Amino acid sequence: MHPRRPDGFDGLGYRGGTRDEQGFGGAFPARSFSSASDLGHWVTTPPDIPGSRNLHWGEKSPPYGVPAPSTPEGPEEEPFPGGSGGSAPGQSSEQLSRFAGFGIGLASLFTENVLAHPCIVLRRQCQVNYHARHYHLTPFTVINIMYSFNKTQGPRALWKGMGSTFIVQGIALGAEGIISEFTPLPREVSHKWNPKQIGEHLLLKSLTYVVAMPFYSASLIETVQSEIIRDNAGILECVKEGIGRAIGMGVPHSKRLLPLLSLIFPTVLHGVLHYIISSIIQKFVLLILKRKTYHSHPAESTSPVQSMLDAYFPELIANFAASLCSDVLLYPLETVLHRLHIQGTRTIIDNTDLGYEVLPINTQYEGMRDCVNSIKQEEGMLGFYKGFGAVVIQYTLHAAVLQITKIIYSTLLQNSV
């Protein structure tokens, strides 16, 4: 039988027939034992310190003070896990697996935030350019206009504002953590969820979007502002302008600037809908991929390479599908949101029709409903999808990077097995 131990026992507090005065680390009152039989009721003699000796079923620890019998057959075991024992190939394979998995995740993050940033820049410039004649709905015209911007302004024109996007993500994560720490709002939803828990979790997300909203406006300005008239702003300029936007000081704005209170509803609506759609699509795709893997690769016949691939890639593919679906479905709402945020900020953008020259933003929307009606009447329904070709390029690049990293990962694992 297994020895019975009290909850939280670590095996180090007993010395002879007594224990330290602090009991179990101070968590429980100290208790003394009068005889060795009381000790035997709870633990073996002596306690099995982790790493000292591996016991098999039915084997007991040797009496205290008596050395364990030596086994002359074969060499002694290495005291440290890095030795040249028989488990070294398995450990190296496991380390390679972890390193490759980390590399795949890093490649995915690099694609989403760095490699795809030029697509985000051009996509936002097309969205806020209300008088553009070319809508750039296909990736072919987007590639042409990207080449023109790079030729006239240099590579910086396509990677502007990238630092501010990371700052906004950091502010959102920090705000979410702080709010969840000081409020009962859950940061994650358990498997046994209920409507109340879902509502509290979405409320936490809404408050997070409200806190990050002024900094998101400042980041949006940095990504669409033309590089021709843009000053060399510091990396923390986004924080400065965001605080200035929140308190209404320090940043030159026109009278057409919409107050932050009127931007709360479209910002929170877009953020919450994006999160809900992404979560649903991610769970759905992940469930399908796991079922497909289970039926196509039984556990008995699965190779180590295939099992490691199945451990990393389904989640990455699910995240890719979730981001793609949410961006496509909410693209019209994002166009409206960006136009409301940029209005009245005296922002000058690049001319997306010619690839050179600059244009001022002089919209006069009264709110979200007026913006929707104006786009529908003046630009048509396709006006909500200006710059959509950049989304096609963005996710094509993402899919290509995922496929390339999968091939590299499979090759590394096959060579290590």
Side-chain angles (χ1 to χ4, degrees):
M1 296 177 60
H2 293 287
R4 295 182 297 170
R5 300 182 180 180
D7 296 336
F9 173 75
D10 58 357
L12 299 177
Y14 291 92
R15 294 295 182 270
T18 60
R19 292 172 19 174
D20 294 340
E21 294 179 359
Q22 297 299 325
F24 294 99
F28 298 94
R31 177 185 175 187
S32 62
F33 293 86
S34 59
S35 63
S37 61
D38 295 332
L39 275 178
H41 179 71
W42 289 104
V43 297
T44 59
T45 307
D48 299 323
I49 301 175
S52 61
R53 188 166 179 266
N54 296 326
L55 297 180
H56 300 283
W57 178 260
E59 185 179 357
K60 296 182 180 180
S61 298
Y64 185 74
V66 178
S70 60
T71 56
E73 299 88 1
E76 295 181 358
E77 295 181 356
E78 289 288 338
F80 298 100
S84 59
S87 60
Q91 290 178 355
S92 62
S93 178
E94 182 180 358
Q95 292 176 357
L96 178 61
S97 173
R98 293 179 179 178
F99 177 77
F102 174 77
I104 292 171
L106 188 62
S108 179
L109 292 177
F110 175 81
T111 306
E112 292 178 4
N113 298 282
V114 180
L115 189 60
H117 191 76
C119 300
I120 297 175
V121 170
L122 187 61
R123 155 185 171 182
R124 291 181 175 182
Q125 283 189 327
C126 293
Q127 286 177 323
V128 300
N129 191 357
Y130 64 97
H131 45 61
R133 298 189 306 271
H134 300 290
Y135 289 7
H136 299 293
L137 301 177
T138 63
F140 306 104
T141 59
V142 170
I143 294 176
N144 186 26
I145 203 68
M146 279 185 177
Y147 174 77
S148 299
F149 285 154
N150 182 74
K151 184 178 180 180
T152 56
Q153 304 178 32
R156 292 184 56 183
L158 299 177
W159 270 273
K160 55 190 175 184
M162 186 175 62
S164 63
T165 57
F166 288 106
I167 292 177
V168 173
Q169 293 178 8
I171 292 175
L173 291 175
E176 182 178 352
I178 293 174
I179 295 174
S180 63
E181 187 71 23
F182 292 95
T183 61
L185 302 178
R187 194 171 185 177
E188 295 181 356
V189 179
S190 61
H191 295 287
K192 298 180 180 180
W193 57 270
N194 52 63
K196 180 182 178 182
Q197 189 179 21
I198 293 293
E200 293 176 348
H201 181 65
L202 294 180
L203 178 59
L204 173 64
K205 292 293 183 180
S206 302
L207 295 176
T208 301
Y209 298 138
V210 172
V211 173
M213 181 174 59
F215 306 98
Y216 180 82
S217 297
S219 175
L220 176 64
I221 294 174
E222 289 190 14
T223 54
V224 300
Q225 184 91 354
S226 177
E227 192 69 20
I228 297 177
I229 53 94
R230 183 172 176 264
D231 297 330
N232 293 327
I235 191 173
L236 296 179
E237 191 70 20
C238 171
V239 179
K240 177 183 176 182
E241 293 186 2
I243 296 175
R245 180 71 181 269
I247 64 178
M249 296 177 60
V251 182
H253 295 145
S254 66
K255 295 181 180 180
R256 296 187 299 272
L257 181 70
L258 294 174
L260 289 179
L261 290 178
S262 61
L263 296 177
I264 290 179
F265 176 73
T267 303
V268 172
L269 178 64
H270 177 268
V272 171
L273 288 178
H274 195 282
Y275 176 74
I276 292 175
I277 295 174
S278 299
S279 300
I280 294 176
I281 297 297
Q282 181 181 4
K283 297 295 183 183
F284 181 73
V285 174
L286 197 58
L287 180 62
I288 293 178
L289 292 177
K290 285 185 176 181
R291 288 185 176 180
K292 181 180 179 180
T293 302
Y294 177 78
H295 290 294
S296 59
H297 303 289
E300 295 80 4
S301 60
T302 303
S303 62
V305 175
Q306 187 63 41
S307 61
M308 292 179 183
L309 291 176
D310 295 339
Y312 290 107
F313 275 92
E315 186 173 354
L316 292 177
I317 296 175
N319 292 334
F320 168 80
S323 299
L324 174 61
C325 293
S326 56
D327 282 351
V328 171
L329 293 177
L330 297 178
Y331 196 88
L333 180 58
E334 185 183 69
T335 300
V336 175
L337 177 66
H338 287 169
R339 293 198 182 187
L340 295 178
H341 273 275
I342 210 72
Q343 177 174 301
T345 58
R346 296 183 178 180
T347 302
I348 298 178
I349 66 172
D350 296 311
N351 191 335
T352 56
D353 289 335
L354 303 176
Y356 55 91
E357 297 183 353
V358 293
L359 298 171
I361 300 297
N362 295 319
T363 56
Q364 299 182 0
Y365 304 122
E366 298 180 359
M368 181 177 177
R369 179 179 298 179
D370 182 49
C371 181
V372 172
N373 294 332
S374 299
I375 295 175
K376 187 185 301 183
Q377 294 175 2
E378 298 175 7
E379 304 170 52
M381 294 301 298
L382 293 180
F384 292 99
Y385 292 92
K386 283 185 174 180
F388 188 79
V391 177
V392 179
I393 298 178
Q394 176 183 345
Y395 285 98
T396 302
L397 288 175
H398 195 176
V401 170
L402 286 179
Q403 187 64 27
I404 293 173
T405 52
K406 183 177 181 180
I407 295 174
I408 297 175
Y409 186 35
S410 302
T411 304
L412 291 175
L413 289 177
Q414 288 175 358
N415 293 335
S416 64
V417 174

